[in-house]
Amino acid sequence: MQLAIGDVVRDRSDMALATVAGLTTSVEGNLVALRLPGGGIRLAAPYDLDLVARHSRPPTAAHTVVSVLALATAVVGWRSAWELAADWSLAFLTGLGCCTAVKLTFQSWVRLTGPRRFRV
């Protein structure tokens, strides 16, 4: 199982919902630190946990800027292909490729710098 800090899990021993706060090692093996709703922290074995929901961050201003930039590059790519006497389908695919290139670059950067998942 791969977990990230902030994932919501259910402990099978008492069916309590908690968020993952970290990972620690002990003599018995790896243990997951859980943050309980009341503010307490407890350790649980990974095989006693069920994943309920993944942590996701809300869209930021950077996401909005990249979306506008991707749309602008798509228009420029489409317009350039159209002015070079390309067929409408080729012009559309050129715009789509420009948009995809910008979005993939940003998503790769976010994936490299974002939160890590760890195997327990």
Side-chain angles (χ1 to χ4, degrees), residues 33-94:
L34 301 176
R35 184 175 315 246
L36 300 172
I41 293 185
R42 84 169 157 196
L43 300 175
Y47 53 82
D48 283 340
L49 301 176
D50 290 325
L51 183 64
V52 175
R54 293 270 186 210
H55 171 73
S56 64
R57 291 181 283 175
T60 61
H63 286 88
T64 307
V65 169
V66 168
S67 295
V68 170
L69 181 65
L71 181 64
T73 13
V75 169
V76 168
W78 173 80
R79 188 93 176 147
S80 299
W82 189 257
E83 288 176 358
L84 290 172
D87 189 21
W88 68 269
S89 58
L90 183 60
F92 174 77
L93 289 175
T94 302

Side-chain angles (χ1 to χ4, degrees), residues 3-46:
L3 295 173
I5 293 175
D7 288 347
V8 178
V9 293
R10 178 181 296 125
D11 191 356
R12 289 186 198 148
S13 62
D14 60 354
M15 301 305 281
L17 286 176
T19 58
V20 175
L23 178 70
T24 183
T25 57
S26 69
V27 178
E28 295 88 24
N30 290 337
L31 295 175
V32 180
L34 301 176
R35 184 175 315 246
L36 300 172
I41 293 185
R42 84 169 157 196
L43 300 175

